Amino acid sequence: MSAPIIEMTNVNKWYGTYHALRNINFTVNEGDKIVVCGPSGSGKSTMIRTLNYLEAHQEGTIRVNGTDMHPRMKDVDKVRMDVGMVFQHFNLFPHLTILENLMAGPMWVRGIAQEEARKTAMMYLERVRIPEQADKYPGQLSGGQQQRVAIARSLCMKPKVMLFDEPTSALDPEMVSEVLDTMVSLAKDGMTMVCVTHEMGFAKAVADRVIFMDEGSIVEENDPINFFENPQSKRTQNFLSQILQH
Amino acid sequence: MKLNRRIFTFATGVALALSSSVSFAGEAMDRVMSTGTLKVATDANWAPQSFLNDENKMDGFDVDVAREVAKRLGVEVEFVTPSWDIITAGNWNGRWDLSVGSMTPTKARAEVLSFPAVYYYTPASAAVHKDSSAESVSDLNGKNVGASTASTFNLYLQKDLTIDAEGTPSFEYKISPSEIKSYQDDTAVMDDLRLGDGVRIDGMVGSLPAILEGIKNNYPLRVLGDPVFYEPLSLAIDKGDAEFNDKLAGIVSEMRSDGTLKTLSEKWYGIDYTTAIE
Amino acid sequence: MLFADTVVGDTGVHKPKVILIMVVVATVIFTLLGLNDTIFGEIMRPVIGEPKESGLFGNLSVGFVLAIILVINIVLIGFLPFRYQVIVVWLQLLALFLTFFYSFDLKIEFIRSKIWFMITQGVFTTLYISAISIILASFVAIFGAIAKLSSNGFAFAIASFYTSFFRGLPLLMQLYLIYLGMPQLGYVIDAVPAGILALTLCYGAYMTEIFRAGIQSINKGQWEASRSMGFGFGLTMRRIILPQAMPLIIPPTGNQFIAMLKDSSLVSVIGVWELMFLARTMGNKDFRHMEMLITAALIYWCLTMVLEFIQSRIERHYRTASH
């Protein structure tokens, strides 16, 4: 039986007068793999960033791992430790080696001893299949390798849920698959995941649900089979026909 | 970016934390006796009164007098060398206890400082470059004359010199320069005058011993006529400690009567300047 | 170096027209200087007769000869490769300077007797005051920069007032304000701490901008990655942002240190026995100020050159080490 790890209820967000998120309601249960897609400017990145409070919402409630997210919350860092985030541009720490990137979080905020942090880090580096790069700096790695390191870095924090914000959009085409493979294997291991991505193949392969957003609203939410074969909304149909053309 | 308020409070506190060597002004006499040290302010650029000698230690007539005063107080002596205008400005706040710096006790200075005792008198003279055609002091009228800043020589040129110490010989203003140039110290005046007659200045007024010392060191200068005034030179202390004032007055009168002052004057100037000349 | 074009024309100073113009201009300048009663006129005596009486003819001849020597020198240097040009021009300028100093008729014996104290007392004091000040100024600058980037209006206001005030006043005035003003508030501050405080506050204000620019240059993604892993503000600043900003901060800070080394001479006015103070006072008794001033000048210069060399090393280190 799975419990909800993320609950968004009637969430609204504005940038000035621009209404970025309109009445968002959705729930992520433990073990769910959710893919969020939509045209650019649809609010999908904004939505995923509110989940660990990199962006603040103005109305509604966001509950993550049992904690309400709001501007005066005291222990935002505690929530964030349990929510891994992978960015479009990797955002590795360029002044630290790959291994140090992976050990930083566990040692500095989890208080894990150095030896143990190193063991965990090496384990996840094996997992993303680049243990031989441990002592290099991020700048010496390819984009695909860097994104895999970024995934491993999040995993080292032993998160309860992983958020992916367009993890393959900044990659050269030939590197997309190595990152997706990593994500697929992560999904197979039962990690709870929310992914903003346009990789429909990935959505078909692993998603429990696909969410389509447009103009700040959730337009359609369905299981992948129905989503792709039987889209309900006109806007979803348009979007799918555009990205599946080639 | 949010700022941790505590961090900032700390940042603003840095300025205060820096001033670690903080002390508060107290009674000078108590301070000297309790620390066992007499802190004396002198100029390090005023040979032969006070200067750095070959061993790079403070030396000179004023320095010897200060040493003797400390000895008679039964304490150690320590010299500090702030600039002259800072010494004469008063409000020492206990940074140092005493000035032995050949200071003339003018009325203006007496408002911020106390003068316990005059310990010698020096003639102030006008001087010119040796190529100058000037024959008497009045030949400097309408000329460009230099003197060190905040000095009695400068006040004399401004016709604004009042010396209210007892036994001060009277004097009259004999020079009306068109322009007065002010310098850091007497040496700087002489350095400008040596460049040539009228190159930067046409003449100067300064302490006769200093001018003579310069001439001895091949400065191409010439003393003009008789001294324009004699200035009594006194110890100075910050206002507000009568006990210290009286103690110092006693010591100086002792040094005068037992001949110590005369010996020191002859050692440094070759002349006894310690009694008023009429 | 600027962008070097791959098309190279004739060397400018080897064009006949340029050479001619240089000779004419130099002759005019040297003639106007009227050099016939100097050592140059003395050397030319066989040609121009009694230098003092040679008048315009003398001045013109001396000027022309000097101009020819100068231009030949320039033309010859034009043939050398870059590296040797630099060395030769440096040596010639240095020789000119030494001649200039030599013309003061300096007493080397006197300098020799004083220089050791100038170094042990003066250079030491100058260096330690500057070093302490630059370290403290760096701390002030970190907090100033954070405050200036802060969304807290109170912090921003104080930081911007501070930088505006201390960049707006002459350092000498700040020194007087601190040394003479603090006692009015009940804090009697000694000369050395007052000097350090003034230098710290003044340079802290300038360096606040350096630190601010350095911190701001770090990509926002670094903050997001750190914060999303649960790093607090202080931890992110200390372990992620500042280490990355350092390569941008340290080279200009080195420049500030070199500038401070010279500005620290201002504390001589409140009686600190640093290099400048000794330069002004040590020659006093013997009336040998030029000796002391020139010695101190050369010491400052040497110190600066050493520091500039270290500085260029640091800059190169950070240029190559930026991953």
Side-chain angles (χ1 to χ4, degrees):
Chain A
M1 187 61 232
S2 46
I5 188 156
I6 294 173
E7 290 174 279
M8 292 183 96
T9 316
N10 295 327
V11 171
N12 278 285
K13 174 173 178 61
W14 289 266
Y15 290 111
T17 56
Y18 176 69
H19 203 163
L21 295 179
R22 296 168 192 254
N23 251 1
I24 304 288
N25 285 286
F26 94 113
T27 306
V28 181
N29 291 316
E30 239 168 74
D32 280 359
K33 290 104 181 95
I34 293 171
V35 167
V36 182
C37 60
S40 75
S42 62
K44 53 195 192 306
S45 274
T46 307
M47 196 269 287
I48 202 170
R49 286 158 62 86
T50 59
L51 295 181
N52 68 355
Y53 224 60
L54 286 179
E55 301 276 355
H57 61 291
Q58 280 98 29
E59 271 180 19
T61 55
I62 299 175
R63 182 172 264 274
V64 177
N65 205 16
T67 310
D68 266 328
M69 310 294 272
H70 60 87
R72 311 204 71 83
M73 61 190 298
K74 287 278 184 283
D75 39 10
V76 68
D77 289 337
K78 274 221 177 81
V79 178
R80 284 170 173 165
M81 283 186 230
D82 291 332
V83 180
M85 180 129 185
V86 176
F87 299 87
Q88 184 177 356
H89 295 286
F90 334 133
N91 294 346
L92 295 177
F93 304 132
H95 60 300
L96 302 178
T97 64
I98 300 305
L99 195 59
E100 287 165 344
N101 263 278
L102 267 59
M103 291 162 65
M107 284 172 59
W108 298 345
V109 298
R110 287 253 193 243
I112 308 277
Q114 184 170 0
E115 251 334 288
E116 201 189 328
R118 181 191 303 277
K119 263 188 213 147
T120 314
M122 284 314 294
M123 182 187 97
Y124 282 111
L125 274 185
E126 310 256 2
R127 178 87 200 266
V128 299
R129 301 197 309 282
I130 37 176
E132 72 282 1
Q133 312 284 11
D135 293 323
K136 291 196 179 159
Y137 285 91
Q140 297 166 289
L141 270 56
S142 73
Q145 290 173 324
Q146 288 194 51
Q147 193 61 296
R148 283 187 278 154
V149 171
I151 294 171
R153 178 174 68 174
S154 289
L155 292 174
C156 284
M157 293 292 288
K158 305 262 166 83
K160 294 207 165 72
V161 54
M162 288 278 283
L163 309 176
F164 292 83
D165 186 5
E166 307 205 26
T168 56
S169 305
L171 295 176
D172 290 335
E174 76 273 18
M175 294 174 181
V176 170
S177 65
E178 60 184 76
V179 172
L180 287 179
D181 287 349
T182 306
M183 290 167 66
V184 170
S185 100
L186 202 56
K188 290 204 168 124
D189 287 357
M191 175 59 79
T192 312
M193 297 161 75
V194 179
C195 314
V196 171
T197 182
H198 290 156
E199 297 296 335
M200 291 303 128
F202 173 77
K204 281 176 187 164
V206 305
D208 301 315
R209 273 179 294 152
V210 180
I211 291 174
F212 175 69
M213 286 183 75
D214 193 21
E215 296 182 343
S217 315
I218 293 180
V219 176
E220 192 160 343
E221 177 171 357
N222 217 328
D223 60 85
I225 296 170
N226 278 314
F227 182 83
F228 288 109
E229 312 216 323
N230 191 16
Q232 300 294 304
S233 146
K234 192 93 195 128
R235 284 189 279 177
T236 318
Q237 290 162 17
N238 273 343
F239 176 73
L240 286 176
S241 71
Q242 273 166 5
I243 63 165
L244 294 177
Q245 254 168 11
H246 29 205
Chain B
M1 195 184 307
K2 285 268 178 267
L3 181 88
N4 186 334
R5 191 173 292 239
R6 269 177 316 171
I7 290 177
F8 199 76
T9 323
F10 175 72
T12 51
V14 164
L16 293 177
L18 261 175
S19 54
S20 52
S21 57
V22 165
S23 59
F24 290 90
E27 288 279 292
M29 187 74 183
D30 295 345
R31 188 176 54 241
V32 171
M33 288 312 169
S34 65
T35 58
T37 310
L38 179 68
K39 261 194 170 179
V40 179
T42 42
D43 200 315
N45 224 0
W46 205 264
Q49 282 91 325
S50 49
F51 56 91
L52 287 180
N53 67 12
D54 291 340
E55 280 79 51
N56 302 309
K57 297 274 170 355
M58 294 294 294
D59 206 350
F61 175 67
D62 284 347
V63 172
D64 275 353
V65 170
R67 289 215 166 92
E68 187 64 28
V69 169
K71 202 169 99 189
R72 295 186 189 215
L73 277 170
V75 294
E76 295 292 314
V77 70
E78 187 189 322
F79 293 98
V80 290
T81 53
S83 65
W84 182 240
D85 44 351
I86 291 178
I87 301 176
T88 55
N91 285 316
W92 298 342
N93 293 293
R95 280 189 172 121
W96 52 83
D97 311 305
L98 171 66
S99 151
V100 185
S102 304
M103 192 188 292
T104 313
T106 61
K107 206 166 222 162
R109 285 172 184 163
E111 280 169 23
V112 288
L113 297 171
S114 296
F115 297 103
V118 169
Y119 60 105
Y120 75 120
Y121 302 81
T122 55
S125 281
V128 291
H129 190 267
K130 67 174 167 43
D131 296 341
S132 170
S133 60
E135 290 299 338
S136 74
V137 173
S138 56
D139 288 341
L140 286 175
N141 286 343
K143 293 288 181 61
N144 192 348
V145 182
S148 52
T149 190
S151 69
T152 47
F153 318 120
N154 212 313
L155 292 172
Y156 177 82
L157 289 173
Q158 294 167 27
K159 301 192 167 44
D160 189 22
L161 176 63
T162 316
I163 305 171
D164 54 0
E166 280 183 32
T168 305
S170 60
F171 59 90
E172 46 193 283
Y173 299 109
K174 290 179 190 158
I175 309 176
S176 302
S178 64
E179 197 188 327
I180 303 168
K181 285 191 90 177
S182 297
Y183 294 83
Q184 182 74 21
D185 47 50
D186 265 14
T187 324
V189 191
M190 289 195 276
D191 278 338
D192 255 10
L193 190 55
R194 79 185 297 186
L195 295 177
D197 180 35
V199 171
R200 290 216 175 120
I201 47 177
D202 300 303
M204 65 172 285
V205 174
S207 137
L208 182 59
I211 296 170
L212 292 175
E213 186 77 10
I215 291 171
K216 212 166 79 190
N217 280 280
N218 301 322
Y219 271 54
L221 308 181
R222 178 157 59 81
V223 175
L224 211 53
D226 290 330
V228 287
F229 66 92
Y230 286 89
E231 51 173 0
L233 299 169
S234 173
L235 307 182
I237 58 174
D238 220 349
K239 272 215 173 300
D241 191 337
E243 188 195 353
F244 193 39
N245 190 79
D246 296 346
K247 182 81 185 162
L248 290 170
I251 288 175
V252 169
S253 108
E254 230 175 82
M255 282 166 66
R256 191 186 307 280
S257 55
D258 66 17
T260 314
L261 275 179
K262 183 166 180 284
T263 316
L264 287 177
S265 174
E266 280 164 353
K267 168 182 170 195
W268 287 104
Y269 301 108
I271 305 172
D272 177 16
Y273 281 131
T274 61
T275 49
I277 305 157
E278 284 295 341
Chain C
M1 211 177 273
L2 296 172
F3 175 74
D5 206 328
T6 43
V7 180
V8 182
D10 291 340
T11 309
V13 294
H14 291 167
K15 290 178 185 153
K17 212 166 146 192
V18 176
I19 293 177
L20 193 67
I21 293 173
M22 285 195 299
V23 172
V24 171
V25 170
T27 307
V28 169
I29 292 175
F30 285 132
T31 306
L32 289 178
L33 286 176
L35 296 169
N36 63 2
D37 58 352
T38 63
I39 183 162
F40 303 113
E42 210 46 55
I43 294 168
M44 294 276 287
R45 186 186 282 274
V47 184
I48 60 173
E50 174 59 36
K52 279 216 158 64
E53 290 154 16
S54 59
L56 182 62
F57 169 70
N59 278 332
L60 196 62
S61 321
V62 173
F64 182 67
V65 169
L66 283 178
I68 292 290
I69 294 172
L70 178 70
V71 171
I72 288 175
N73 183 38
I74 291 175
V75 170
L76 287 179
I77 290 172
F79 283 111
L80 295 173
F82 177 83
R83 227 188 136 72
Y84 293 98
Q85 282 180 333
V86 174
I87 295 171
V88 169
V89 173
W90 259 82
L91 288 178
Q92 290 187 348
L93 290 176
L94 193 64
L96 273 181
F97 259 98
L98 291 180
T99 318
F100 173 63
F101 288 157
Y102 184 73
S103 71
F104 291 123
D105 185 25
L106 302 180
K107 206 172 150 197
I108 305 297
E109 194 49 45
F110 184 75
I111 293 177
R112 197 173 299 151
S113 71
K114 297 286 185 186
I115 193 165
W116 183 239
F117 187 69
M118 271 186 131
I119 290 172
T120 54
Q121 169 71 34
V123 174
F124 175 76
T125 309
T126 291
L127 278 178
Y128 95 72
I129 286 181
S130 303
I132 294 177
S133 301
I134 201 84
I135 290 168
L136 293 177
S138 299
F139 282 108
V140 171
I142 288 177
F143 289 112
I146 291 173
K148 268 204 134 173
L149 292 169
S150 145
S151 55
N152 180 334
F154 177 73
F156 178 84
I158 289 186
S160 52
F161 184 88
Y162 158 68
T163 49
S164 164
F165 184 79
F166 282 95
R167 297 208 300 179
L169 294 193
L171 179 54
L172 184 59
M173 189 175 287
Q174 292 172 27
L175 188 61
Y176 272 120
L177 282 180
I178 289 169
Y179 186 72
L180 298 176
M182 294 279 287
Q184 307 295 322
L185 304 175
Y187 289 99
V188 179
I189 181 166
D190 283 343
V192 170
I196 289 175
L197 185 59
L199 287 169
T200 297
L201 290 175
C202 182
Y203 277 77
Y206 284 99
M207 285 166 56
T208 292
E209 292 304 316
I210 294 173
F211 276 67
R212 187 189 55 77
I215 291 171
Q216 238 175 352
S217 72
I218 304 305
N219 192 309
K220 192 165 144 254
Q222 294 292 311
W223 281 100
E224 291 183 343
S226 308
R227 301 296 270 148
S228 76
M229 285 166 74
F231 295 1
F233 174 85
L235 180 65
T236 307
M237 200 72 196
R238 215 171 58 244
R239 307 297 291 263
I240 303 297
I241 304 300
L242 281 180
Q244 292 184 59
M246 276 306 148
L248 289 141
I249 289 172
I250 287 178
T253 300
N255 274 329
Q256 295 287 312
F257 183 69
I258 292 170
M260 181 186 274
L261 194 77
K262 287 166 284 173
D263 276 352
S264 69
S265 61
L266 289 172
V267 305
S268 64
V269 300
I270 52 176
V272 177
W273 287 27
E274 44 69 83
L275 190 48
M276 184 66 206
F277 182 90
L278 295 181
R280 286 200 296 121
T281 53
M282 286 178 74
N284 180 257
K285 193 196 93 182
D286 306 280
F287 293 87
R288 297 227 158 251
H289 324 100
M290 277 328 275
E291 275 86 346
M292 291 295 95
L293 284 175
I294 288 171
T295 308
L298 292 177
I299 292 176
Y300 272 118
W301 192 12
C302 289
L303 278 177
T304 310
M305 282 198 294
V306 170
L307 289 171
E308 271 171 357
F309 175 75
I310 296 171
Q311 164 81 357
S312 71
R313 278 308 179 79
I314 291 174
E315 269 178 36
R316 196 184 312 165
H317 171 79
Y318 279 117
R319 254 205 312 273
T320 54
S322 55
H323 298 285

